[in-house]
Amino acid sequence: MAGRINLTVKTNFQQADQILRTAVDDGRYYLHEFEVYDLLQAIGIGIVRKYALITSPDGPFDAVKDLPGDRFVLKIVHPRIVHKSDVGGIRFVDRSEIPDVTRQLLAGVPGNLARLLIKRNEVPFEFGNLSSVDLESQFAAETVGVMVTPFVKAPSGFGNELFVGMRDTREFGPIINAGLGGLDTELFAREIQPERASVTISPGVSDESEIFRVFQGTLAYDTLTGRARGHKRLVNDEVIAELLERFHVLIWRYSPLNPDAPFHFTECEINPFVCHDGKLAAVDGLLRFKDVTSPRPSPPSAKIGKLLNPERICVIGVSGKSLNIGRVILRNLLLGDYTPETLAIVKPNDDMVDSVRCYPSVAHLPEKFD
């Protein structure tokens, strides 16, 4: 079936390198979503949609004229926004609505972001002293624009989207993961048997042809290719294999294990690729990277020592009225080498349980616990 891909076809590593250099010249070690699309196109990964970037309420709207179709997706482009739906940063519109909705996004999303972060108590430290109005102005100034892309009509239902991603782990280096995609990717990974939920491999240890072979054992392969009951084949094996193999090649190109890598990827995620006319089209993506000179983190020897031989322990989930699991753990600690002075409990509305002081939250603890 799938062998090693022909990298002379639709593969432009020089263009990919330049996309990353341009971001660095701009002071960034991440790509905006539209830049991720440019990079995928350079490597020939999947179908990459055309896009137009609208940077102000005044346009340029002429750029939209060259985009095909009558239905479009508008997304806010902002360095602090990952989940655009959380702040109303994504809209589906007809061509005639693009100017008005673009202005609405540019005007409204920064305020939505400010209110959301204030509500979650997640305002960046450097902006902690700003008023809500000034915080909104700060986020408005950081807004890159609105990306306009043609709407991709894709089959609805379970198992029709593909997730492909990588993360540079401290323990194993870069790890590639591919499986069921969409909003419920994390749910699928948690609830489905690991060997069926997704494929996980290490580029460099395995070659690019192996990823498709292992992927054939996943539920995602069964649903995309019609092997699962009630599903029709949406893409051919060759389409899936080439996408996965080219992604493998991309990750190895920028792997810290590759001595010739010009940059090192730390995180790359395309979620999802959707099936469209027998092909796989990217409809969302993120990428973070770093210089090759950036040191890898040292093993946390001190933290491991504290984990194995802690001096101070905080217990969460202790019942003050009955003998639950948290209370059993607390009493076992007290029967061992620990005293009430070396222990703490996170438990609102109580002052003391078994002579151990209670605190309303982790943030209220008087010092760090091991």
Side-chain angles (χ1 to χ4, degrees):
M1 195 354 277
R4 299 178 77 89
I5 59 176
N6 182 0
L7 293 181
T8 64
V9 180
K10 297 190 304 182
T11 305
N12 190 333
F13 289 121
Q14 290 71 32
Q15 182 181 350
D17 292 347
Q18 186 55 52
I19 292 169
L20 298 171
R21 290 192 190 98
T22 299
V24 173
D25 291 342
D26 192 36
R28 295 180 282 118
Y29 282 89
Y30 61 88
L31 297 185
H32 298 304
E33 184 178 340
F34 60 88
E35 293 172 316
V36 175
Y37 294 159
D38 292 341
L39 185 137
L40 295 178
Q41 187 171 43
I43 309 302
I45 298 176
I47 299 297
V48 180
R49 298 170 297 161
K50 292 184 177 180
Y51 66 84
L53 182 65
I54 311 301
T55 55
S56 82
D58 299 322
F61 293 107
D62 287 345
V64 178
K65 294 180 180 179
D66 296 330
L67 299 180
D70 300 315
R71 191 75 174 161
F72 297 87
V73 182
L74 274 59
K75 294 183 180 182
I76 197 75
V77 181
H78 194 287
R80 300 184 190 274
I81 299 175
V82 177
H83 302 295
K84 300 174 180 63
S85 58
D86 289 351
V87 292
I90 179 170
R91 299 281 295 275
F92 301 88
V93 303
D94 294 330
R95 184 180 291 272
S96 61
E97 300 175 287
I98 292 176
D100 286 343
V101 175
T102 295
R103 296 185 185 103
Q104 292 171 17
L105 289 172
L106 292 174
V109 171
N112 295 343
L113 177 60
R115 286 185 287 273
L116 178 67
L117 295 185
I118 291 172
K119 179 180 179 181
R120 293 179 174 177
N121 196 27
E122 296 176 357
V123 175
F125 177 78
E126 63 268 31
F127 304 143
N129 294 326
L130 296 182
S131 68
S132 59
V133 174
D134 290 339
L135 187 62
E136 179 178 348
S137 298
Q138 174 66 37
F139 291 155
E142 295 176 346
T143 303
V144 177
V146 173
M147 183 181 68
V148 183
T149 57
F151 175 75
V152 176
K153 187 176 181 180
S156 60
F158 170 79
N160 296 330
E161 298 176 326
L162 174 66
F163 164 88
V164 181
M166 69 78 58
R167 189 179 299 273
D168 184 24
T169 66
R170 181 175 57 203
E171 296 82 3
F172 306 109
I175 295 297
I176 294 176
N177 187 263
L180 292 167
L183 295 176
D184 294 323
T185 295
E186 294 180 359
L187 175 65
F188 297 152
R190 186 170 64 248
E191 299 297 332
I192 299 174
Q193 295 177 353
E195 66 275 9
R196 290 284 285 155
S198 62
V199 53
T200 301
I201 71 166
S202 175
V205 175
S206 56
D207 66 38
E208 61 266 19
S209 63
E210 185 176 352
I211 186 171
F212 176 69
R213 180 185 64 78
V214 182
F215 182 77
Q216 287 177 294
T218 65
L219 182 58
Y221 176 78
D222 290 347
T223 56
L224 291 172
T225 61
R227 292 178 54 177
R229 185 177 179 181
H231 287 260
K232 297 180 179 180
R233 178 179 279 276
L234 299 174
V235 288
N236 292 329
D237 282 12
E238 290 78 8
V239 172
I240 301 174
E242 180 166 348
L243 183 146
L244 294 176
E245 291 173 12
R246 286 183 178 273
F247 189 78
H248 184 288
V249 169
L250 171 67
I251 300 309
W252 173 248
R253 164 77 174 184
Y254 300 103
S255 165
L257 303 179
N258 178 7
D260 299 321
F263 296 98
H264 292 162
F265 283 3
T266 57
E267 183 179 14
C268 179
E269 181 178 300
I270 314 300
N271 186 25
F273 283 100
V274 299
C275 300
H276 179 69
D277 291 340
K279 302 293 179 64
L280 288 163
V283 297
D284 202 356
L286 66 86
L287 192 150
R288 298 185 178 93
F289 62 102
K290 61 183 179 181
D291 282 325
V292 295
T293 56
S294 300
R296 294 189 67 77
S298 301
S301 302
K303 292 183 178 180
I304 293 173
K306 289 182 177 181
L307 176 65
L308 298 177
N309 189 28
E311 295 179 3
R312 299 177 61 79
I313 298 177
C314 175
V315 185
I316 302 175
V318 174
S319 171
K321 299 179 180 179
S322 60
L323 195 63
N324 70 340
I325 294 298
R327 189 88 174 259
V328 169
I329 292 172
L330 178 69
R331 290 188 175 180
N332 283 338
L333 292 170
L334 289 168
L335 289 173
D337 296 331
Y338 298 93
T339 66
E341 291 73 30
T342 60
L343 299 173
I345 301 170
V346 168
K347 181 173 174 54
N349 305 320
D350 270 326
D351 294 328
M352 202 85 68
V353 174
D354 291 342
S355 302
V356 178
R357 176 76 182 275
C358 297
Y359 298 89
S361 71
V362 173
H364 287 84
L365 292 174
E367 56 188 298
K368 282 190 175 182
F369 280 67
D370 300 327

